[in-house]
């Protein structure tokens, strides 16, 4: 199958512990169970994105502050959601949102969602990341391309989201050859619409493609009308058990 074309990436991934990157649940008032489950001891979390209102919102939200605080007290890395709109947002707008995330929620880093992937945008994204690290020195930076970008983006970020989309696309996806030169902890895959019977296959694809941060859900976007990441997958306990006990390794 297409995802088995790069054996080098698959070999590298065997020694890396797989964990979750949570792309951002609904507001804690709308998804209290989801936010509560994230603090359960033993849940293999790499990071959780806090998305208050397509960004930090216009004022501090006490419910989001409480949810972020519980996660950070549990040792979980919390990332602020910054929408770059594929480069259409201004540098000042993105940095302003970052300051609010730090001032209001003490985030540990940022997910730059809808990040450009072309070579021509490298310098501007690098400028943004450099500034983010200037205002939060140990910031964990994830670039949310959703596809394989120009390899130069890896120089400025801690992780790249090289796939974000549906199971129907993921199961036939191909890994870019250049990713095999880097360890799996540098890559993340976010996949919605994964049926429970195909969960093991999805984990196998991530392993062979060399991505150690994942999020799989059976929720779908209903043709773009709903947010598939807003609620917990129906098989949450099962996938936590598989990842936590190393079944997917």
């Amino acid at each position: 199958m297409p995802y088995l074309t790069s054996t080098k990436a698959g070999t590298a991934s065997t020694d890396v512990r797989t964990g979750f990157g949570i792309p951002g649940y609904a507001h804690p008032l709308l998804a209290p169970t989801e936010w509560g489950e994230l603090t359960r001891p033993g849940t293999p979390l790499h990071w959780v994105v806090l998305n208050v209102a397509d960004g930090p919102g216009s004022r501090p939200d006490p419910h989001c502050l409480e949810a972020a605080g519980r996660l950070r007290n549990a040792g979980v890395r919390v990332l602020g959601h910054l929408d770059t709109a594929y480069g259409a947002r201004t540098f000042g707008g993105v940095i302003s949102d970052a300051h609010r995330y730090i001032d209001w929620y003490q985030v540990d880093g940022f997910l730059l969602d809808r990040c450009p992937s072309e070579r021509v945008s490298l310098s501007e994204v690098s400028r943004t990341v450099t500034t983010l690290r200037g205002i939060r020195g140990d910031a964990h930076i994830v670039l949310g391309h959703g596809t394989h970008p120009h390899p130069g983006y890896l120089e400025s970020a801690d992780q790249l989201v090289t796939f974000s989309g549906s199971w129907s696309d993921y199961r036939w996806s191909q890994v870019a050859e250049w990713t095999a030169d880097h360890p799996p902890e540098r890559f993340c895959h976010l996949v919605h619409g994964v049926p429970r019977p195909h969960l093991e296959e999805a984990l196998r694809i991530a392993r062979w493609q060399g991505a150690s941060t994942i999020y799989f859900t059976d929720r779908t976007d209903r043709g773009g009308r709903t947010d598939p990441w807003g609620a917990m997958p129906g098989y949450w306990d099962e996938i936590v058990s598989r990842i936590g006990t190393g079944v997917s390794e």
Side-chain angles (χ1 to χ4, degrees):
M1 299 180 74
Y3 59 81
L4 300 181
T5 57
S6 178
T7 56
K8 186 174 181 181
T11 301
S13 69
T14 57
D15 296 325
V16 177
R17 175 67 66 178
T18 301
F20 299 117
I22 308 296
Y25 286 136
H27 191 280
L29 287 179
L30 300 177
T33 300
E34 281 80 351
W35 286 97
E37 279 291 317
L38 294 179
T39 57
R40 181 196 292 184
T43 304
L45 291 171
H46 288 172
W47 41 261
V48 176
V49 173
L50 178 67
N51 187 0
V52 181
D54 290 328
S58 58
R59 61 181 61 86
D61 185 311
H63 303 289
C64 291
L65 178 60
E66 181 182 1
R70 285 199 303 266
L71 287 170
R72 297 186 74 247
N73 289 339
V76 177
R77 181 184 282 135
V78 178
L79 306 182
H81 177 275
L82 300 175
D83 184 6
T84 69
Y86 302 112
R89 284 198 70 197
T90 65
F91 170 82
V94 173
I95 299 304
S96 177
D97 279 357
H99 276 291
R100 286 198 288 270
Y101 267 119
I102 292 173
D103 293 343
W104 298 344
Y105 305 108
Q106 295 80 54
V107 297
D108 305 293
F110 303 96
L111 167 69
L112 276 65
D113 196 18
R114 298 200 296 169
C115 187
S117 58
E118 301 83 5
R119 182 173 184 172
V120 68
S121 299
L122 267 172
S123 60
E124 183 63 21
V125 172
S126 177
R127 175 193 179 204
T128 299
V129 172
T130 298
T131 304
L132 293 175
R133 295 196 192 280
I135 62 178
R136 180 74 162 85
D138 58 348
H140 186 82
I141 305 296
V142 181
L143 301 184
H145 308 283
T147 187
H148 288 94
H150 184 280
Y153 283 96
L154 203 57
E155 296 179 9
S156 60
D158 295 289
Q159 290 183 295
L160 306 181
V161 179
T162 53
F163 185 93
S164 180
S166 69
W167 166 243
S168 59
D169 291 332
Y170 188 60
R171 68 185 308 188
W172 301 110
S173 63
Q174 296 188 19
V175 64
E177 292 185 4
W178 63 263
T179 63
D181 296 325
H182 305 278
E185 57 264 30
R186 305 298 303 277
F187 303 105
C188 175
H189 292 172
L190 310 175
V191 190
H192 60 76
V194 181
R196 183 189 297 266
H198 292 279
L199 189 55
E200 181 58 35
E201 182 184 355
L203 291 169
R204 192 179 306 119
I205 295 172
R207 182 172 68 248
W208 277 97
Q209 291 199 2
S212 67
T213 299
I214 63 165
Y215 187 72
F216 298 153
T217 180
D218 51 355
R219 310 288 179 176
T220 67
D221 63 358
R222 298 179 182 272
R225 297 189 298 274
T226 62
D227 177 11
W229 319 119
M232 189 169 286
Y235 42 64
W236 174 253
D237 287 341
E238 179 179 345
I239 193 172
V240 167
S241 177
R242 285 173 179 263
I243 300 300
T245 57
V247 171
S248 67
E249 302 291 332

